[in-house]
Amino acid sequence: MASLNVGNLGEYLREQRRAAQLSLRQLAEAAGVSNPYLSQIERGLRKPSAEVLQQVAKALRISAETLYVRAGILDEREREELETRAVILADPSINERQKNVLLQIYDSFRRENGFVPEQDETDETDETPGADETLKADARKDDNPHS
């Protein structure tokens, strides 16, 4: 398999399209863009909008954030944060409240390490229980099968 470490967006898209065994025409149709426009993107002649990149990513079944980084729309650190959040939110093995607590813990660690989260700038003095109290309550529920 060819290396995915390519120099620019167009080459990366071409490589992803070939790996998906799609023709240029097939990908253009699936993404809802014109064949000539997609060809120009692959050859580095056009810089697509975030919306077009999202459509192409969906058609290729790859991360739109990865394409945003390649296109210079998104910083690598922002992409990593978004992907971390997306994985947490997509996990079917934990409930919504647990996902929220996990995201709060993630944000607190990022703040502690000097990274201010760009989303959810909530005041920590609100009336919702802190992550520690919620985790302890969950542990008590897990320890008591009759609750």
Side-chain angles (χ1 to χ4, degrees):
M1 179 177 237
S3 168
L4 296 181
N5 187 15
V6 294
N8 66 43
L9 174 66
E11 290 176 23
Y12 181 76
L13 282 176
R14 182 178 300 117
E15 195 168 295
Q16 292 299 306
R17 177 177 57 77
R18 289 178 177 163
Q21 299 181 333
L22 293 172
S23 70
L24 190 65
R25 189 173 309 279
Q26 289 170 320
L27 178 57
E29 186 176 316
V33 298
S34 75
N35 188 36
Y37 182 63
L38 185 58
S39 174
Q40 290 174 346
I41 294 169
E42 282 194 1
R43 291 182 288 139
L45 302 176
R46 295 274 182 151
K47 184 174 180 180
S49 68
E51 183 179 318
V52 168
L53 288 175
Q54 186 174 22
Q55 292 169 232
V56 171
K58 185 176 179 182
L60 287 170
R61 296 184 177 173
I62 62 173
S63 164
E65 288 80 9
T66 300
L67 294 184
Y68 296 160
V69 170
R70 296 245 177 206
I73 296 171
L74 187 66
D75 180 80
E76 182 70 22
R77 286 184 185 163
E78 292 171 321
R79 180 189 66 83
E80 290 170 358
E81 179 189 354
L82 289 172
E83 287 181 351
T84 300
R85 289 177 178 282
V87 167
I88 291 169
L89 292 171
D91 189 336
S93 68
I94 57 177
N95 65 40
E96 292 304 312
R97 187 178 47 75
Q98 292 167 331
K99 291 174 185 181
N100 187 39
V101 170
L102 192 52
L103 287 171
Q104 288 174 3
I105 293 168
Y106 176 67
D107 286 343
S108 71
F109 284 149
R110 287 180 50 83
R111 275 192 301 275
E112 184 177 308
N113 293 330
F115 296 98
V116 177
E118 295 192 16
Q119 298 176 349
D120 199 275
E121 296 287 337
T122 59
D123 182 15
E124 291 187 26
T125 60
D126 65 7
E127 296 184 23
T128 58
D132 291 339
E133 291 83 15
T134 305
L135 290 175
K136 288 175 188 172
D138 286 344
R140 285 192 297 272
K141 285 180 187 174
D142 293 340
D143 291 341
N144 184 359
H146 301 293
S147 58

